[in-house]
Amino acid sequence: MEQRAQLLKKLSFTIFCSEVDQYQYALPEIQERLAESLRLPQSPVVHEQIFLFFRVLILRMSAQHLTPLWPTIVSEVVHVLLQMESDLSADGKSQKQRMAISELLLGSNGYVNYSQEKWLGLYLGVCKLLDLSQALPSDYLSQFQLYRWAFEGEAYNMTAGEEKVPVFKPHIARLEKLLRRKRKDQGDMEELQRMSGQPLLTMYHIKSLDQLLPFFQCLSRSRFEKCGESRDKNNKSKRSQGKSLLERVVERDFLEPLVVD
């Protein structure tokens, strides 16, 4: 598994160092290699690199070329968010109980006995993929808008009397609720503010899921604009600066830490 993860990392780094659409001709074969890796029993070290690969493809392939890939990306994101929800729900339970809960949610391959550090790396990678998708302009990543409602804010069904009735709770909102419950006696955390084109997550690794709570809080607000998103959609300079910062975050994730604190 470690070897496959390293091979995926090398391939994604090659594409990251290329020009936009330089490897578009190889995209069908790339998708096949990713599909092979996804068919394996869930391994956080492999799946973390798959989500890094997805981020690279979003930055290095034109939106129209990624249309067939989005259903796979979204389904894998949901799969890992369910695993995260399972971990939080099973907090304090024995390993046997955790495996039973995970199997109920994800099937027989849902739980593999890896260290918590490996799972945290995967969870951070998934959140960074969501962060990238949220930060890029909607016209740059139009396909994601079809799925955006499942990962932010609240969905409503308008009744005849114009009363808002919630009909769906996004995955992020459910995770925020579980994390709030977990740290209810630990005080408040600093809130994040979304700026147009700017990432929320710039850390390289996390030591606890608690560190993702501010990210979930921002995305789960009823109106995404309240996270501080600028309405200046036509400022090309800001867009360029934002994309440059997003690329630096991805570039940093290719580096191996010299010291793990």
Side-chain angles (χ1 to χ4, degrees):
M1 291 296 184
E2 293 282 352
Q3 184 178 10
R4 180 177 285 268
Q6 288 301 316
L7 290 173
L8 285 171
K9 188 174 184 179
K10 289 179 181 179
L11 180 57
S12 59
F13 183 71
T14 299
I15 297 174
F16 181 71
C17 295
S18 69
E19 299 295 329
V20 174
D21 287 339
Q22 181 176 336
Y23 289 99
Q24 183 271 327
Y25 70 92
L27 193 54
E29 186 174 353
I30 291 171
Q31 288 181 251
E32 185 177 342
R33 299 286 83 78
L34 289 172
E36 287 178 1
S37 298
L38 288 170
R39 284 194 291 268
L40 297 172
Q42 191 178 42
S43 164
V45 293
V46 173
H47 281 63
E48 180 182 354
Q49 295 306 318
I50 290 174
F51 284 106
L52 177 59
F53 211 140
F54 285 153
R55 289 159 63 201
V56 169
L57 290 175
I58 289 172
L59 290 171
R60 289 294 180 265
M61 297 289 175
S62 298
Q64 65 268 23
H65 299 315
L66 294 180
T67 301
L69 194 60
W70 271 107
T72 300
I73 293 176
V74 172
S75 64
E76 291 305 315
V77 168
V78 170
H79 188 87
V80 175
L81 291 180
L82 285 173
Q83 177 67 58
M84 196 185 308
E85 191 173 341
S86 170
D87 280 357
L88 288 169
S89 300
D91 193 28
K93 292 181 171 61
S94 67
Q95 180 175 334
K96 185 177 181 180
Q97 291 173 313
R98 292 167 68 90
M99 291 179 67
I101 293 173
S102 183
E103 185 172 343
L104 180 64
L105 283 173
L106 306 171
S108 59
N109 289 333
Y111 187 91
V112 182
N113 190 22
Y114 285 92
S115 69
Q116 183 65 13
E117 179 185 353
K118 300 296 186 184
W119 285 109
L120 289 174
L122 171 59
Y123 296 155
L124 178 60
V126 170
C127 290
K128 282 187 174 182
L129 173 61
L130 283 176
D131 193 27
L132 174 66
S133 302
Q134 300 280 358
L136 288 171
S138 58
D139 56 346
Y140 182 88
L141 208 60
S142 55
Q143 292 89 349
F144 178 70
Q145 310 314 310
L146 297 172
Y147 310 97
R148 191 181 187 117
W149 60 273
F151 303 109
E152 69 173 40
E154 298 180 43
Y156 290 96
N157 180 25
M158 302 302 292
T159 65
E162 295 299 316
E163 180 184 357
K164 292 184 177 180
V165 181
V167 294
F168 172 77
K169 179 172 286 189
H171 299 285
I172 294 298
R174 301 208 304 265
L175 288 166
E176 181 200 5
K177 182 178 179 181
L178 287 169
L179 279 172
R180 280 183 175 276
R181 185 185 305 164
K182 180 181 177 182
R183 58 168 290 118
K184 60 182 178 181
D185 297 326
Q186 302 178 35
D188 296 329
M189 298 186 72
E190 180 182 358
E191 291 190 1
L192 294 176
Q193 294 295 319
R194 170 75 75 185
M195 300 300 293
S196 180
Q198 303 293 311
L200 292 170
L201 300 174
T202 58
M203 68 280 275
Y204 179 75
H205 69 280
I206 56 175
K207 297 179 180 179
S208 168
L209 278 174
D210 293 358
Q211 293 176 253
L212 295 175
L213 178 56
F215 173 71
F216 296 150
Q217 286 177 327
C218 185
L219 265 61
S220 66
R221 293 172 187 171
S222 58
R223 293 183 181 275
F224 187 67
E225 291 79 12
K226 289 183 180 179
C227 291
E229 184 180 18
S230 168
R231 295 181 179 275
D232 186 6
K233 302 292 186 181
N234 299 315
N235 192 319
K236 293 183 178 180
S237 176
K238 286 186 178 180
R239 284 193 177 193
S240 178
Q241 292 175 3
K243 188 176 180 182
S244 178
L245 179 55
L246 291 168
E247 291 191 354
R248 288 201 299 273
V249 172
V250 173
E251 182 181 1
R252 176 65 180 84
D253 286 343
F254 281 109
L255 302 178
E256 297 290 342
L258 296 177
V259 177
V260 178
D261 52 3

